[in-house]
Amino acid sequence: GIMKNFIFVFLVLFFVACGNDGFLRHHISLNEPNGVDTQYFAEGRRLVMKDNKPYMLFFFGTSCGACVAQSPIVNELYTKFKDKFSINGIFGPSLGFDKDLDIIKHHNIYYNVISDKVSVDYFSKAVGGVMGVPAIYIFDKDGNLKKRFIGLTPKGALEDEIKMIL
């Protein structure tokens, strides 16, 4: 009956989530219909993206001039490397889904952007806390933090780091 199906689905989901060392988390994206799935492994402080690519977390807000200046650079890197490298913008503070979506459209942002407060807090904790923006964290495909940049960062410095990881 229904209860038997519910228990079966619950057990499947429980084992899928717990069968891995890290807990699987789904994050809603403003501009990527499938969102983003991650696993955080406390041992080794690894944050793995389920697309199995090296990636960047770009923490930003649109009330920050340096962030507005950094965004087109991140767009260029996204366009150049999107097949082999993921870029996730972590946007805050959120003004609500629709307003956040309008903001990223207004700023012509193409890379994936996450603004849900629970997810923003999750990513911030995963990198050890973000004290200011813009902040860029680059990870290898295994979820190991390889480089962090605080403040407006030149395209060349970011591109060099991405090329080293690929």
Side-chain angles (χ1 to χ4, degrees), residues 75-88:
N75 258 345
E76 287 178 48
L77 295 170
Y78 168 76
T79 302
K80 183 170 185 174
F81 294 105
K82 65 183 171 193
D83 296 333
K84 307 178 276 208
F85 186 82
S86 296
I87 295 179
N88 297 284

Side-chain angles (χ1 to χ4, degrees), residues 104-151:
I104 68 167
K105 283 180 178 170
H106 174 77
H107 288 278
N108 299 309
I109 293 172
Y110 307 118
Y111 49 87
N112 180 45
V113 177
I114 296 164
S115 68
D116 173 68
K117 183 170 177 12
V118 172
S119 291
V120 169
D121 290 348
Y122 168 89
F123 285 110
S124 179
K125 285 179 185 146
V127 298
V130 176
M131 300 304 145
V133 290
I136 292 175
Y137 297 80
I138 295 181
F139 293 80
D140 66 16
K141 70 179 182 59
D142 298 319
N144 299 300
L145 178 62
K146 290 301 184 182
K147 191 78 174 182
R148 98 180 30 146
F149 298 93
I150 308 298

Side-chain angles (χ1 to χ4, degrees), residues 2-16:
I2 293 172
M3 194 61 183
K4 196 161 129 187
N5 288 346
F6 173 79
I7 291 170
F8 175 75
V9 169
F10 174 79
L11 288 174
V12 168
L13 291 174
F14 178 80
F15 285 111
V16 167

Side-chain angles (χ1 to χ4, degrees), residues 23-25 27 36-39 47-50 122-123:
F23 183 68
L24 190 63
R25 292 283 302 257
H27 308 276
V36 176
D37 293 319
T38 62
Q39 280 182 290
L47 180 63
V48 178
M49 292 285 169
K50 295 312 285 180
Y122 168 89
F123 285 110

